[in-house]
Amino acid sequence: MNEAVIGFVGVVIGVIATIGKDIVSYWIGRRNAGRYAAVRIVCILDQYVEKCVEVVADDGTSQGSPAGRTESGEEYYSAQVDSPEPPIFPDDIDWTSIGPDLMYRILALPNLALGTERFIRAASEHSFPPDFAEFFQSRWEGYADLGLEALEIIAALRRTFRLPKPSIAIGNPDWDSARFLRQKKNEVLSLRESERAANDAFLAEMIGKTENV
C-alpha cells in the first residue's frame, strides 16, 4: 500500500515538474519575444523623435532670414523641414508579447500623427504671410506632443524590458530632446496666451469706443 502511494506521489510530482518546466519555458520565451520587439520599436521611435525635433526646430528661416521670397522680392517664412511620415512598425512583431496598455499607445501613435497633420493643415488655412504664425505654432505644438509621446513610450519599454540606454552620445552629450520639446510647446502656449490677451484688450477697447459714441 505504502509503495503504491509513494509511486503515485512520484508520478504526480513528475507531472507537476514537467508542467512547471513548460510554463517557465513559455514565459521565458514570451519575455524574450517581448524584449526583442521592444528593441525594434525603440529603434524606430528613436528615429521618429529626431525627426519631430527637426520639425519643432524649424522656424521657417535660412541663415537667420526668412527662407521664402516672392518673385517681387518680398520675404516670408517657409518651412525647411518636411513633416515625417508616421512611424511604421514591422509586420512580424509579436504584439501579444507587450502589455495591452503599452501596445495600445504604440499602435495609436501613427493615428495621432495623422490627426496632427490634419490639425496643422486646418490651421494653415487661417495662416497668412509673412510669418504664417498659425501654421508654425500648430506645427511646433503638434510635433512637440508627438515627440514627447514617443519618448514616453520609449522610456516605458526600457523600464518594462530592462533595456539599456544608448552607450554613445551623438553630438552634444548635454542635449535633452524632451526638455527641448517641452520648452517649445510652452513657448507656443505662452504666445497664444499673449495673443488671446491682446485680442481681448482690443475687443474691450472697441466696445468701449462704441458705447461712448
Side-chain angles (χ1 to χ4, degrees):
M1 180 67 177
N2 290 337
E3 292 180 359
V5 171
I6 292 173
F8 176 75
V9 171
V11 171
V12 171
I13 292 175
V15 171
I16 292 174
T18 300
I19 294 174
K21 182 180 178 181
D22 291 342
I23 291 175
V24 170
S25 297
Y26 171 79
W27 284 111
I28 290 176
R30 300 304 297 162
R31 180 71 179 180
N32 289 338
R35 196 173 195 200
Y36 177 59
V39 168
R40 299 174 74 187
I41 294 168
V42 165
C43 290
I44 292 169
L45 293 184
D46 276 337
Q47 294 181 356
Y48 185 68
V49 169
E50 291 180 8
K51 293 176 181 178
C52 288
V53 168
E54 290 177 359
V55 171
V56 174
D58 180 12
D59 61 359
T61 67
S62 176
Q63 298 181 346
S65 299
R69 185 181 295 273
T70 65
E71 293 181 358
S72 60
E74 297 174 342
E75 293 182 332
Y76 61 92
Y77 292 83
S78 177
Q80 299 301 287
V81 177
D82 292 334
S83 299
E85 293 294 326
I88 300 175
F89 304 107
D91 293 333
D92 61 342
I93 284 181
D94 183 359
W95 292 104
T96 61
S97 63
I98 299 174
D101 292 342
L102 190 51
M103 176 177 62
Y104 173 78
R105 291 182 70 180
I106 297 168
L107 292 176
L109 188 59
N111 284 335
L112 288 176
L114 293 174
T116 296
E117 274 300 306
R118 288 193 292 269
F119 169 70
I120 294 170
R121 285 197 298 270
S124 67
E125 295 178 359
H126 306 284
S127 190
F128 305 99
D131 55 356
F132 293 102
E134 290 78 5
F135 165 74
F136 279 103
Q137 288 179 18
S138 63
R139 200 169 189 242
W140 295 334
E141 181 183 18
Y143 279 94
D145 284 338
L146 288 171
L148 289 170
E149 174 64 6
L151 284 169
E152 289 182 7
I153 292 172
I154 290 170
L157 287 169
R158 291 190 190 280
R159 288 193 306 269
T160 302
F161 295 98
R162 298 181 181 178
L163 301 180
K165 293 183 179 180
S167 58
I168 300 176
I170 300 175
N172 183 0
D174 297 325
W175 170 256
D176 187 335
S177 297
R179 180 174 58 193
F180 170 75
L181 294 173
R182 290 192 191 98
Q183 288 177 344
K184 195 65 178 182
K185 181 176 179 178
N186 289 336
E187 288 177 14
V188 173
L189 296 178
S190 295
L191 283 172
R192 286 183 177 162
E193 184 62 30
S194 297
E195 291 171 356
R196 188 178 298 109
N199 290 336
D200 289 344
F202 176 76
L203 181 61
E205 181 181 354
M206 294 302 296
I207 292 175
K209 289 181 177 179
T210 301
E211 290 177 347
N212 293 330
V213 173

